[in-house]
PDB file of all heavy atoms in Angstrom:
ATOM      1  N   GLU A  14       2.947   4.388   0.472  1.00  0.00           N
ATOM      2  CA  GLU A  14       3.576   4.939   1.611  1.00  0.00           C
ATOM      3  C   GLU A  14       3.021   6.355   2.033  1.00  0.00           C
ATOM      4  O   GLU A  14       2.795   6.608   3.199  1.00  0.00           O
ATOM      5  CB  GLU A  14       5.017   5.033   1.502  1.00  0.00           C
ATOM      6  CG  GLU A  14       5.662   3.628   1.419  1.00  0.00           C
ATOM      7  CD  GLU A  14       7.124   3.573   1.129  1.00  0.00           C
ATOM      8  OE1 GLU A  14       7.603   4.535   0.480  1.00  0.00           O
ATOM      9  OE2 GLU A  14       7.836   2.618   1.520  1.00  0.00           O
ATOM     10  N   GLN A  15       2.806   7.135   1.011  1.00  0.00           N
ATOM     11  CA  GLN A  15       2.367   8.499   1.256  1.00  0.00           C
ATOM     12  C   GLN A  15       0.946   8.510   1.888  1.00  0.00           C
ATOM     13  O   GLN A  15       0.645   9.264   2.774  1.00  0.00           O
ATOM     14  CB  GLN A  15       2.305   9.271  -0.074  1.00  0.00           C
ATOM     15  CG  GLN A  15       2.446  10.823   0.097  1.00  0.00           C
ATOM     16  CD  GLN A  15       3.590  11.244   0.957  1.00  0.00           C
ATOM     17  OE1 GLN A  15       4.678  10.802   0.691  1.00  0.00           O
ATOM     18  NE2 GLN A  15       3.384  12.042   1.960  1.00  0.00           N
ATOM     19  N   LEU A  16       0.182   7.555   1.389  1.00  0.00           N
ATOM     20  CA  LEU A  16      -1.213   7.427   1.872  1.00  0.00           C
ATOM     21  C   LEU A  16      -1.245   6.957   3.382  1.00  0.00           C
ATOM     22  O   LEU A  16      -1.979   7.420   4.182  1.00  0.00           O
ATOM     23  CB  LEU A  16      -1.984   6.436   1.095  1.00  0.00           C
ATOM     24  CG  LEU A  16      -3.482   6.486   1.100  1.00  0.00           C
ATOM     25  CD1 LEU A  16      -4.013   7.797   0.582  1.00  0.00           C
ATOM     26  CD2 LEU A  16      -4.207   5.353   0.335  1.00  0.00           C
ATOM     27  N   ARG A  17      -0.210   6.057   3.679  1.00  0.00           N
ATOM     28  CA  ARG A  17      -0.131   5.679   5.006  1.00  0.00           C
ATOM     29  C   ARG A  17       0.307   6.778   5.891  1.00  0.00           C
ATOM     30  O   ARG A  17      -0.215   6.874   7.108  1.00  0.00           O
ATOM     31  CB  ARG A  17       0.898   4.524   5.116  1.00  0.00           C
ATOM     32  CG  ARG A  17       0.353   3.133   4.707  1.00  0.00           C
ATOM     33  CD  ARG A  17       1.434   2.135   4.820  1.00  0.00           C
ATOM     34  NE  ARG A  17       0.982   0.872   4.285  1.00  0.00           N
ATOM     35  CZ  ARG A  17       0.389  -0.111   5.099  1.00  0.00           C
ATOM     36  NH1 ARG A  17       0.356   0.160   6.398  1.00  0.00           N
ATOM     37  NH2 ARG A  17       0.009  -1.169   4.607  1.00  0.00           N
ATOM     38  N   ILE A  18       1.189   7.594   5.471  1.00  0.00           N
ATOM     39  CA  ILE A  18       1.563   8.745   6.255  1.00  0.00           C
ATOM     40  C   ILE A  18       0.415   9.709   6.503  1.00  0.00           C
ATOM     41  O   ILE A  18       0.156  10.157   7.557  1.00  0.00           O
ATOM     42  CB  ILE A  18       2.774   9.472   5.597  1.00  0.00           C
ATOM     43  CG1 ILE A  18       4.039   8.626   5.657  1.00  0.00           C
ATOM     44  CG2 ILE A  18       2.971  10.851   6.143  1.00  0.00           C
ATOM     45  CD1 ILE A  18       5.259   9.155   5.006  1.00  0.00           C
ATOM     46  N   LYS A  19      -0.352   9.883   5.461  1.00  0.00           N
ATOM     47  CA  LYS A  19      -1.450  10.824   5.542  1.00  0.00           C
ATOM     48  C   LYS A  19      -2.466  10.283   6.629  1.00  0.00           C
ATOM     49  O   LYS A  19      -2.934  11.036   7.515  1.00  0.00           O
ATOM     50  CB  LYS A  19      -2.144  10.978   4.108  1.00  0.00           C
ATOM     51  CG  LYS A  19      -3.328  11.947   4.143  1.00  0.00           C
ATOM     52  CD  LYS A  19      -3.860  12.096   2.690  1.00  0.00           C
ATOM     53  CE  LYS A  19      -5.138  13.024   2.818  1.00  0.00           C
ATOM     54  NZ  LYS A  19      -5.899  12.944   1.588  1.00  0.00           N
ATOM     55  N   ALA A  20      -2.769   8.971   6.480  1.00  0.00           N
ATOM     56  CA  ALA A  20      -3.744   8.443   7.416  1.00  0.00           C
ATOM     57  C   ALA A  20      -3.200   8.454   8.835  1.00  0.00           C
ATOM     58  O   ALA A  20      -3.974   8.891   9.705  1.00  0.00           O
ATOM     59  CB  ALA A  20      -4.008   6.881   7.029  1.00  0.00           C
ATOM     60  N   HIS A  21      -1.978   8.156   8.992  1.00  0.00           N
ATOM     61  CA  HIS A  21      -1.299   8.169  10.314  1.00  0.00           C
ATOM     62  C   HIS A  21      -1.516   9.618  10.974  1.00  0.00           C
ATOM     63  O   HIS A  21      -1.871   9.874  12.036  1.00  0.00           O
ATOM     64  CB  HIS A  21       0.135   7.766  10.252  1.00  0.00           C
ATOM     65  CG  HIS A  21       0.891   7.984  11.457  1.00  0.00           C
ATOM     66  ND1 HIS A  21       0.834   7.066  12.527  1.00  0.00           N
ATOM     67  CD2 HIS A  21       1.778   8.948  11.882  1.00  0.00           C
ATOM     68  CE1 HIS A  21       1.662   7.487  13.533  1.00  0.00           C
ATOM     69  NE2 HIS A  21       2.273   8.590  13.086  1.00  0.00           N
ATOM     70  N   CYS A  22      -1.079  10.654  10.083  1.00  0.00           N
ATOM     71  CA  CYS A  22      -1.041  12.054  10.621  1.00  0.00           C
ATOM     72  C   CYS A  22      -2.549  12.610  10.916  1.00  0.00           C
ATOM     73  O   CYS A  22      -2.615  13.437  11.717  1.00  0.00           O
ATOM     74  CB  CYS A  22      -0.293  12.947   9.635  1.00  0.00           C
ATOM     75  SG  CYS A  22       1.465  12.587   9.676  1.00  0.00           S
ATOM     76  N   MET A  23      -3.412  12.033  10.178  1.00  0.00           N
ATOM     77  CA  MET A  23      -4.784  12.470  10.344  1.00  0.00           C
ATOM     78  C   MET A  23      -5.539  11.681  11.357  1.00  0.00           C
ATOM     79  O   MET A  23      -6.755  11.906  11.656  1.00  0.00           O
ATOM     80  CB  MET A  23      -5.518  12.463   9.007  1.00  0.00           C
ATOM     81  CG  MET A  23      -5.063  13.518   8.067  1.00  0.00           C
ATOM     82  SD  MET A  23      -5.838  13.478   6.403  1.00  0.00           S
ATOM     83  CE  MET A  23      -7.360  14.420   6.779  1.00  0.00           C
ATOM     84  N   GLY A  24      -4.772  10.650  11.940  1.00  0.00           N
ATOM     85  CA  GLY A  24      -5.433   9.829  12.985  1.00  0.00           C
ATOM     86  C   GLY A  24      -6.543   8.913  12.390  1.00  0.00           C
ATOM     87  O   GLY A  24      -7.496   8.628  13.092  1.00  0.00           O
ATOM     88  N   GLN A  25      -6.442   8.572  11.126  1.00  0.00           N
ATOM     89  CA  GLN A  25      -7.429   7.785  10.462  1.00  0.00           C
ATOM     90  C   GLN A  25      -6.892   6.470   9.978  1.00  0.00           C
ATOM     91  O   GLN A  25      -5.655   6.280   9.915  1.00  0.00           O
ATOM     92  CB  GLN A  25      -8.034   8.574   9.278  1.00  0.00           C
ATOM     93  CG  GLN A  25      -8.665   9.893   9.580  1.00  0.00           C
ATOM     94  CD  GLN A  25     -10.027   9.685  10.240  1.00  0.00           C
ATOM     95  OE1 GLN A  25     -10.533   8.588  10.333  1.00  0.00           O
ATOM     96  NE2 GLN A  25     -10.630  10.813  10.661  1.00  0.00           N
ATOM     97  N   SER A  26      -7.743   5.551   9.574  1.00  0.00           N
ATOM     98  CA  SER A  26      -7.283   4.318   9.005  1.00  0.00           C
ATOM     99  C   SER A  26      -6.879   4.562   7.602  1.00  0.00           C
ATOM    100  O   SER A  26      -7.292   5.508   6.909  1.00  0.00           O
ATOM    101  CB  SER A  26      -8.482   3.234   9.023  1.00  0.00           C
ATOM    102  OG  SER A  26      -9.413   3.605   8.164  1.00  0.00           O
ATOM    103  N   ILE A  27      -6.107   3.582   7.116  1.00  0.00           N
ATOM    104  CA  ILE A  27      -5.647   3.611   5.702  1.00  0.00           C
ATOM    105  C   ILE A  27      -6.805   3.574   4.757  1.00  0.00           C
ATOM    106  O   ILE A  27      -6.924   4.215   3.738  1.00  0.00           O
ATOM    107  CB  ILE A  27      -4.586   2.517   5.363  1.00  0.00           C
ATOM    108  CG1 ILE A  27      -3.960   2.645   3.992  1.00  0.00           C
ATOM    109  CG2 ILE A  27      -5.049   1.147   5.658  1.00  0.00           C
ATOM    110  CD1 ILE A  27      -2.873   3.611   3.957  1.00  0.00           C
ATOM    111  N   ALA A  28      -7.863   2.759   5.167  1.00  0.00           N
ATOM    112  CA  ALA A  28      -9.071   2.604   4.320  1.00  0.00           C
ATOM    113  C   ALA A  28      -9.812   3.931   4.230  1.00  0.00           C
ATOM    114  O   ALA A  28     -10.286   4.343   3.111  1.00  0.00           O
ATOM    115  CB  ALA A  28     -10.013   1.528   4.910  1.00  0.00           C
ATOM    116  N   TRP A  29      -9.866   4.653   5.323  1.00  0.00           N
ATOM    117  CA  TRP A  29     -10.525   6.010   5.304  1.00  0.00           C
ATOM    118  C   TRP A  29      -9.681   6.921   4.416  1.00  0.00           C
ATOM    119  O   TRP A  29     -10.337   7.643   3.562  1.00  0.00           O
ATOM    120  CB  TRP A  29     -10.547   6.500   6.796  1.00  0.00           C
ATOM    121  CG  TRP A  29     -11.240   7.870   6.811  1.00  0.00           C
ATOM    122  CD1 TRP A  29     -12.589   8.120   7.148  1.00  0.00           C
ATOM    123  CD2 TRP A  29     -10.609   9.123   6.586  1.00  0.00           C
ATOM    124  NE1 TRP A  29     -12.829   9.475   7.039  1.00  0.00           N
ATOM    125  CE2 TRP A  29     -11.692  10.096   6.753  1.00  0.00           C
ATOM    126  CE3 TRP A  29      -9.341   9.596   6.273  1.00  0.00           C
ATOM    127  CZ2 TRP A  29     -11.365  11.508   6.625  1.00  0.00           C
ATOM    128  CZ3 TRP A  29      -9.122  10.924   6.129  1.00  0.00           C
ATOM    129  CH2 TRP A  29     -10.102  11.874   6.293  1.00  0.00           C
ATOM    130  N   ALA A  30      -8.449   6.945   4.525  1.00  0.00           N
ATOM    131  CA  ALA A  30      -7.612   7.906   3.655  1.00  0.00           C
ATOM    132  C   ALA A  30      -7.843   7.549   2.186  1.00  0.00           C
ATOM    133  O   ALA A  30      -7.950   8.391   1.355  1.00  0.00           O
ATOM    134  CB  ALA A  30      -6.177   7.782   4.068  1.00  0.00           C
ATOM    135  N   PHE A  31      -7.971   6.285   1.917  1.00  0.00           N
ATOM    136  CA  PHE A  31      -8.147   5.767   0.506  1.00  0.00           C
ATOM    137  C   PHE A  31      -9.438   6.281   0.024  1.00  0.00           C
ATOM    138  O   PHE A  31      -9.591   6.728  -1.125  1.00  0.00           O
ATOM    139  CB  PHE A  31      -7.973   4.245   0.516  1.00  0.00           C
ATOM    140  CG  PHE A  31      -7.965   3.723  -0.883  1.00  0.00           C
ATOM    141  CD1 PHE A  31      -6.822   3.950  -1.705  1.00  0.00           C
ATOM    142  CD2 PHE A  31      -9.016   2.998  -1.402  1.00  0.00           C
ATOM    143  CE1 PHE A  31      -6.818   3.459  -3.030  1.00  0.00           C
ATOM    144  CE2 PHE A  31      -9.046   2.463  -2.675  1.00  0.00           C
ATOM    145  CZ  PHE A  31      -7.927   2.729  -3.476  1.00  0.00           C
TER     146      PHE A  31
END
Side-chain angles (χ1 to χ4, degrees):
E14 292 175 332
Q15 204 56 49
L16 198 65
R17 281 178 182 267
I18 288 178
K19 184 178 175 194
H21 172 79
C22 290
M23 292 178 80
Q25 298 286 356
S26 70
I27 186 86
W29 180 93
F31 188 71

